[in-house]
Amino acid sequence: VRDAFGIIPPPAERRRKEESMFEFINDSRAVAADWAAAPLIANVKFGGEDTGSIALGPSRRGASTEDRRVFSLLTEELGGPLRMAALMAEARRLASTDTLTGLMNRRAFFEKIEAVRKAKPESPMSLLLMDLDHFKQVNDKKGHDAGDAVLQSVARVLTGIARKTD
C-alpha cells in the first residue's frame, strides 16, 4: 500500500509522528505496548479475504460507543481502497521492472536518470555498461532457460553489490 501512494516506510519497527495523532506500527507485537487505553483492533477485509489489520488507540478514557461504531464502519469500508492501492503498487512495479531479472526496465531507468538530473543537476553521474562474454553461445548451446539463469545470476550479483543509491 505504501508503494501505491509513494510513502517511504519508517526506518524502525515503530516511528511516532509527533506532528499528528497517528502512529505507524510495523510490528503487531508493539500494538498496545504503551498506549493509554486498550486499542480497538480489527481485520480489514475485501471480498471475504483479510487485507490487513488496523488498530485505533483511544484516549485515556477508552473507546466510546461512537468510537466503536465509526471504527467498525472504517474497517468495513477500508478493504476496497486498500486492495486498489495494492493493485496500483503492483501495476507500478510491473510497469517499471523486468520480470526476468527484477531490475529496472529501460523506461524506468531513463525516468530515474531524469529524476536524479533534475534533483541534483550539478552532481556527477556514472554509468556502467556491461557485456556478458559468449552469452549468445550459452543461449545457442544450452538453451534459453540457461541464458535466463545467467541473466538472473548476474542481476543477483549486481543487486547484492549495489548501494541503495545506485
Side-chain angles (χ1 to χ4, degrees):
V1 173
R2 293 178 193 277
D3 291 342
F5 296 110
I7 298 171
I8 299 170
E13 288 298 311
R14 298 182 65 168
R15 179 178 165 202
R16 185 160 194 104
K17 300 285 281 184
E18 297 299 335
E19 67 274 7
S20 71
M21 296 172 49
F22 298 101
E23 189 169 343
F24 294 103
I25 300 174
N26 294 343
D27 185 351
S28 60
R29 295 169 296 175
V31 173
D34 60 357
W35 290 3
L40 301 174
I41 302 172
N43 289 334
V44 178
K45 296 181 180 288
F46 180 74
E49 293 184 27
D50 285 346
T51 58
S53 298
I54 188 169
L56 174 71
S59 65
R60 293 190 187 281
R61 64 175 168 71
S64 68
T65 304
E66 182 64 12
D67 290 340
R68 292 177 191 282
R69 188 183 73 76
V70 169
F71 185 70
S72 176
L73 289 171
L74 177 67
T75 59
E76 289 173 17
E77 297 299 324
L78 198 54
L82 285 176
R83 180 68 179 137
M84 180 61 80
L87 290 172
M88 291 290 294
E90 179 66 4
R92 185 175 288 124
R93 186 190 67 77
L94 290 172
S96 63
T97 306
D98 176 73
T99 56
L100 178 66
T101 63
L103 299 175
M104 258 187 253
N105 63 20
R106 179 186 172 117
R107 185 183 57 75
F109 174 75
F110 285 115
E111 285 177 2
K112 180 76 167 180
I113 287 176
E114 194 59 35
V116 169
R117 282 185 19 178
K118 285 181 182 176
K120 300 177 182 180
E122 301 300 319
S123 258
M125 188 181 300
S126 299
L127 177 64
L128 171 68
L129 297 175
M130 294 182 60
D131 179 32
L132 301 178
D133 289 341
H134 311 292
F135 181 71
K136 182 173 178 348
Q137 290 177 3
V138 171
N139 269 342
D140 291 346
K141 291 182 179 177
K142 304 279 185 182
H144 289 281
D145 288 343
D148 288 353
V150 168
L151 291 175
Q152 290 168 333
S153 295
V154 170
R156 274 193 303 276
V157 168
L158 292 174
T159 302
I161 63 174
R163 301 170 299 183
K164 289 187 182 212
T165 56
D166 290 343

